[in-house]
Amino acid sequence: AHAHSRTAAMMAASLRALLRARRAALPLRRSGTQSLAPDRRLLSTSSGKNPTATFETTLGTFKAELYMDKMPLTASNFVDLAEGGFYDGLHFHRCIPNFMNQFGCPFSKDPASGRAGTGGPEPGSTFQVGDETVTREGGNIPDEFTAEISNMPMTLSMANTGRPDSGGSQFFINIGHNSYLDWFDTATPSKHPVFGKVSEGEDIVMKINTAPTDPSDRPVKPIQMISVSVEK
């Protein structure tokens, strides 16, 4: 009877975690250790002409190349939000050691908000991708499943709810090689397209990842994004 109760409790906890992840824009964590092995699909992603984003946080500054050449829609969405000051003053709301750091929810401006992880850009807002105007229907952008770039350590990847076209402003920085989150990995339902990679300040990213967190994976001492700027 005790074993049955424990099994039922474990199943209920797993179901609650799945439902929370599907309601919010969260990548699902797979148990076990993620591989740090290189992936051939990530090679030669840089054109040398891509924009660089500078992230100034309360724990230090890091930079990332944005794959505008291979992921123009997703990278342009990020640039538009960054240049409009959308990310300034927000907090990292979910940091899991050896997995990822998640950021970009407007509700995280209040680091204690229970809604952090569920928000996005203003519904109906627009941004440019070259000469094309893209509308964020419901605050979301179309999935850009084009370049097969794996969710390797230090890559920037779009968060979503698991439903099609549900990404918006939230993204995460991979710490492990989370290849099961690749949109082109048909073995799992997770589909998180990569649109950039940290190029400087990996130590700062790791400092954020290893900061003490509460049971909901929120940093105990708030980690704020002071500003995000983009050099084209």
Side-chain angles (χ1 to χ4, degrees):
H2 291 301
H4 178 74
S5 297
R6 285 197 299 271
T7 300
M10 291 174 63
M11 291 178 65
S14 297
L15 179 58
R16 285 195 297 271
L18 177 61
L19 290 175
R20 283 197 303 271
R22 288 311 184 195
R23 282 198 298 268
L26 306 177
L28 289 172
R29 174 171 47 173
R30 172 179 286 179
S31 61
T33 302
Q34 278 69 57
S35 169
L36 298 178
D39 190 294
R40 63 179 177 79
R41 287 167 293 209
L42 190 65
L43 301 178
S44 303
T45 53
S46 175
S47 68
K49 301 176 183 178
N50 283 324
T52 297
T54 299
F55 302 82
E56 183 185 357
T57 82
T58 49
L59 288 186
T61 299
F62 63 94
K63 297 184 177 183
E65 177 186 1
L66 305 175
Y67 295 150
M68 189 68 74
D69 55 342
K70 292 181 169 59
M71 298 292 289
L73 187 147
T74 309
S76 294
N77 172 65
F78 173 88
V79 169
D80 177 75
L81 293 171
E83 291 184 335
F86 183 93
Y87 293 121
D88 300 353
L90 304 186
H91 295 81
F92 284 87
H93 65 270
R94 188 175 183 235
C95 298
I96 302 177
N98 302 314
F99 179 34
M100 59 95 224
N101 302 335
Q102 188 165 344
F103 173 79
C105 175
F107 295 127
S108 71
K109 183 153 285 190
D110 172 4
S113 173
R115 300 177 69 189
T118 64
E122 187 69 26
S125 57
T126 62
F127 63 99
Q128 293 296 125
V129 182
D131 296 330
E132 180 184 358
T133 299
V134 178
T135 300
R136 298 184 181 99
E137 301 290 349
N140 300 319
I141 65 172
D143 292 324
E144 189 172 27
F145 296 152
T146 53
E148 293 188 358
I149 308 172
S150 189
N151 279 268
M152 289 187 69
M154 296 295 149
T155 53
L156 277 60
S157 187
M158 287 299 292
N160 57 51
T161 66
R163 297 188 301 272
D165 303 327
S166 60
S169 58
Q170 295 187 52
F171 64 94
F172 56 94
I173 304 172
N174 286 291
I175 302 301
H177 184 188
N178 302 310
S179 60
Y180 70 97
L181 298 178
D182 295 343
W183 65 266
F184 48 89
D185 183 348
T186 57
T188 71
S190 299
K191 297 181 182 296
H192 298 275
V194 169
F195 66 96
K197 188 173 189 290
V198 173
S199 55
E200 292 182 29
E202 291 187 11
D203 58 324
I204 302 301
V205 175
M206 292 305 299
K207 189 183 295 187
I208 295 169
N209 185 248
T210 55
T213 56
D214 65 17
S216 64
D217 302 317
R218 188 197 315 263
V220 173
K221 183 177 180 179
I223 303 171
Q224 186 180 53
M225 186 67 69
I226 299 169
S227 68
V228 180
S229 57
V230 178
E231 180 182 353
K232 298 178 180 178

